[in-house]
Amino acid sequence: MKKPLIIVAALVAALAIRAGEVRLNGASTTVNAVINPGKAAVEAATGLTLKVTGTNTGKGLAALLAGECDASLTSEPLDVSMLAGKFAGLTLNASDFQLHQVKEDYGEFVVHPSNPVSKLGDAQVKGILAGEIANWKDVGGPDLPIVVLTDPVGAGTRTLVQQRALGGGEYGPKTVAVENVRLVAGRIAELKGGFGFIGHSFVTPTVKVVETTRITRPLGFLTKGAPGADVQKVIDAFRAVAR
């Protein structure tokens, strides 16, 4: 009779550990620009422990639907987040979800520091992303092949750029997808022909920002329906920290 009692005790202990914990999963941009800077202050203010997994918008939504997190993280408007989920293989209805914005952010197109190109028009950006402009010499740069880097299919930043800069069109066939958007700057720092879009918080001195039309986006939380009490506390606390 002792074994069932041990199992019950273990389950009770596990539930006790989960009590007071809020699980977050999703956009690495939001983790970097919102969660990491404010996590300690939010935990202190709410008395809740945050368990954070930085992936991307599509994976965060998949975790939310599977009950593996209490809220997912996004770095895009709701319509783009839904598209990212769709590209990740999910069937979603936007009316089922709520976006809780914490702050507004923007992204940057970046190149290798040695690249003399400092400004690109909308048509040039679109042509580069689509693979129609394949050499930097065609936009005033060196005779060097352009390598477009982005995050994986289903990631929010990739989907945002696809909708805003490509007009919903496709990336060029030679586009290189890296595992996570946080890795894009590092790859471009090592690649003289590189070109990619990253959240402002991911910009480092190892890359050069190119002047383009600014793409803004909200950073925040996604919930299926209204957020639970603990998640709402966390959202409110991050909003207070982000002011």
Side-chain angles (χ1 to χ4, degrees):
M1 293 297 294
K2 289 183 178 181
K3 192 171 183 180
L5 291 175
I6 293 173
I7 293 173
V8 170
L11 289 172
V12 170
L15 289 172
I17 292 172
R18 277 280 295 117
E21 178 183 87
V22 173
R23 302 164 299 165
L24 306 173
N25 187 319
S28 291
T29 298
T30 302
V31 172
N32 193 59
V34 174
I35 305 301
N36 288 345
K39 184 174 182 287
V42 167
E43 288 182 330
T46 62
L48 299 166
T49 300
L50 303 182
K51 182 180 179 182
V52 183
T53 305
T55 53
N56 61 47
T57 298
K59 289 182 178 179
L61 281 166
L64 181 63
L65 293 179
E68 296 169 357
C69 66
D70 302 301
S72 63
L73 303 172
T74 185
S75 55
E76 302 79 38
L78 183 59
D79 62 323
V80 178
S81 298
M82 295 296 100
L83 272 177
K86 179 182 176 181
F87 292 150
L90 304 175
T91 300
L92 303 172
N93 185 336
S95 63
D96 293 336
F97 295 87
Q98 293 182 11
L99 168 62
H100 311 275
Q101 180 174 336
V102 171
K103 65 182 292 186
E104 184 174 83
D105 188 44
Y106 61 94
E108 310 271 21
F109 284 101
V110 297
V111 297
H112 190 273
S114 66
N115 194 326
V117 174
S118 58
K119 184 175 182 179
L120 291 169
D122 292 348
Q124 291 173 314
V125 170
K126 184 177 181 180
I128 290 171
L129 295 173
E132 296 163 359
I133 299 175
N135 194 298
W136 283 110
K137 69 180 180 181
D138 296 326
V139 290
D143 185 1
L144 189 68
I146 298 173
V147 181
V148 176
L149 293 106
T150 184
D151 36 349
V153 173
T157 297
R158 179 189 178 114
T159 307
L160 178 72
V161 173
Q162 189 170 6
Q163 296 304 303
R164 300 293 188 264
L166 269 166
E170 295 295 329
Y171 283 88
K174 294 185 179 180
T175 297
V176 177
V178 299
E179 182 182 350
N180 193 287
V181 68
R182 67 176 178 269
L183 304 177
V184 171
R187 291 287 298 275
I188 290 177
E190 300 171 351
L191 187 64
K192 289 187 176 181
F195 180 74
F197 181 88
I198 57 177
H200 178 69
S201 67
F202 283 127
V203 175
T204 70
T206 63
V207 293
K208 173 185 170 181
V209 174
V210 176
E211 182 183 345
T212 62
T213 297
R214 178 166 287 185
I215 298 177
T216 59
R217 72 283 190 68
L219 304 183
F221 300 78
L222 289 171
T223 58
K224 196 164 187 280
D230 283 351
V231 172
Q232 187 63 61
K233 288 179 184 177
V234 169
I235 293 169
D236 292 341
F238 272 112
R239 283 173 173 163
V241 169
R243 285 175 186 168

